[in-house]
Amino acid sequence: MPELMYREALNQALAEEMERDANVFLIGEEVGRYNGAFKVSQGLLDRFGSARIIDAPISELGFAGLGVGAAMVGLRPIVEMMTWNFAILAMDQIVNNAAKLRHMSGGQLRCPIVFRGPGGAGGRLSSQHSQALEANYAHFPGLKVIAPATPADAKGMLKSAIRDDNPVIMFEGERLYAIKGEVPEGEHVVPIGKADVKREGKDVSIITWSRMYYFAEQAAQQLEQEGISAEILDLRTLRPLDEEAILATVRKTNRAVIVEEGWSLAGVGASVVDIIQSKAFDELDAPVQRVTGLDVNMSYATNLENATQPDAAKIIAAVKKVLYREGA
């Protein structure tokens, strides 16, 4: 199986879906001649032409609205946001139009559109360009929200998102674009709404998504050396949450640690904890722990940036807390 970078897997998914369906097109800032700010659309302008790979001006609200209108009349737009930080300017189109068209039209209108781009910390980009905003979008009915961690999942979930008849929000960890992994060739579709056990374990469940998966894996490898078997559940989809998979892993290990890059208050992890405590409370041997970004705006300095985010050491400390091995 070929090994691709995350960005290459996304590029492959875009190309395959555009070959498969002439209604699919890509629009965003610098997606054409510049090949995308993170080179996800490398070579697509030459392959598909300027009618389907469209360079937009710096006007997130404007080209998001253009995409919504195109979806309403039967096209399948993919709207690339240079970062989800900039997409804050497009929230009105995403939330008040894309998310609500099917409901407000009594099912007469569909909105098959994908909004995608990088989220989370990028590396010394400070507070306005380092936000993990997936919880904001997971809040709204009418949207599906996905956040794949691996190149294979990125390819498979983008293809699913493009084929979905509902608006899909796709978060791509900004530091994941150069991550490599095996990616199936050709038709590889990962269903939206299905979590994945990335590592089997029996002592504790680490539930996470996107870039935090890699910190969870580092933590699990270190814990294994201490005789602690950690299971890692990669949610992959944040709306709808895969409740069945969440409850299955908790009932298996009886302990859970939730890891998310975003802030703690009203985070996705809080909803995961709610599912566990309301439907599997009697299965727990310890209170659920959360590891989140610190409740501050991101600093520019590298040492403060690192201190702000979850890492393997913080996950290990949380795991030992649910195992009552603090200080071990």
Side-chain angles (χ1 to χ4, degrees), residues 60-269:
E60 287 78 6
L61 180 64
F63 64 78
L66 185 154
V68 172
M72 289 171 63
V73 296
L75 300 179
R76 290 188 176 272
I78 304 159
V79 179
E80 177 174 310
M81 296 293 176
M82 191 175 287
T83 95
W84 278 104
N85 301 284
F86 301 165
I88 292 171
L89 294 161
M91 284 285 281
D92 184 49
Q93 285 294 341
I94 297 172
V95 173
N96 278 329
N97 284 330
K100 295 176 172 59
L101 279 170
R102 173 170 281 195
H103 172 76
M104 293 182 70
S105 69
Q108 297 180 74
L109 294 174
R110 297 180 304 155
C111 194
I113 186 170
V114 179
F115 297 96
R116 49 157 291 272
R124 298 192 68 195
L125 296 177
S126 195
S127 55
Q128 293 176 322
H129 290 183
S130 302
Q131 301 170 103
L133 297 170
E134 53 264 38
N136 297 53
Y137 296 89
H139 186 64
F140 294 106
L143 299 178
K144 296 182 179 180
V145 181
I146 60 178
T150 66
D153 284 345
K155 176 182 177 181
M157 298 191 79
L158 178 54
K159 289 169 76 75
S160 284
I162 293 168
R163 299 178 189 186
D164 202 292
D165 283 339
N166 298 286
V168 179
I169 308 296
M170 183 169 181
F171 283 87
E172 302 155 5
E174 190 158 328
R175 290 185 175 179
L176 293 182
Y177 286 117
I179 290 280
K180 287 186 174 181
E182 292 187 339
V183 179
E185 292 181 286
E187 182 72 350
H188 169 62
V189 179
V190 176
I192 292 174
K194 293 294 182 184
D196 183 44
V197 177
K198 287 286 196 292
R199 182 188 183 95
E200 295 277 355
K202 61 182 178 59
D203 295 327
V204 59
S205 299
I206 302 175
I207 302 173
T208 190
W209 59 91
S210 192
R211 186 169 69 96
M212 296 299 104
Y213 157 69
Y214 294 94
F215 290 126
E217 181 60 37
Q218 289 175 22
Q221 290 177 17
Q222 293 180 44
L223 289 164
E224 187 175 36
Q225 296 173 10
E226 300 180 38
I228 297 171
S229 172
E231 179 154 296
I232 299 176
L233 180 68
D234 178 5
L235 291 179
R236 303 194 295 192
T237 298
L238 306 180
R239 185 182 183 95
L241 285 168
D242 188 347
E243 289 193 15
E244 184 178 344
I246 293 168
L247 295 173
T249 188
V250 171
R251 286 170 176 148
K252 177 181 179 183
T253 68
N254 309 114
R255 294 173 170 84
V257 173
I258 320 297
V259 184
E260 65 181 301
E261 185 173 356
W263 297 297
S264 175
L265 184 66
V268 173

Side-chain angles (χ1 to χ4, degrees), residues 285-320:
D285 286 342
V288 179
Q289 293 295 309
R290 293 178 65 199
V291 180
T292 70
L294 295 184
D295 191 23
V296 296
N297 289 315
M298 186 67 77
S299 297
Y300 184 77
T302 301
N303 60 331
L304 295 178
E305 184 182 54
N306 290 337
T308 302
Q309 301 174 77
D311 58 23
K314 293 172 184 172
I315 297 169
I316 289 171
V319 166
K320 291 186 175 179

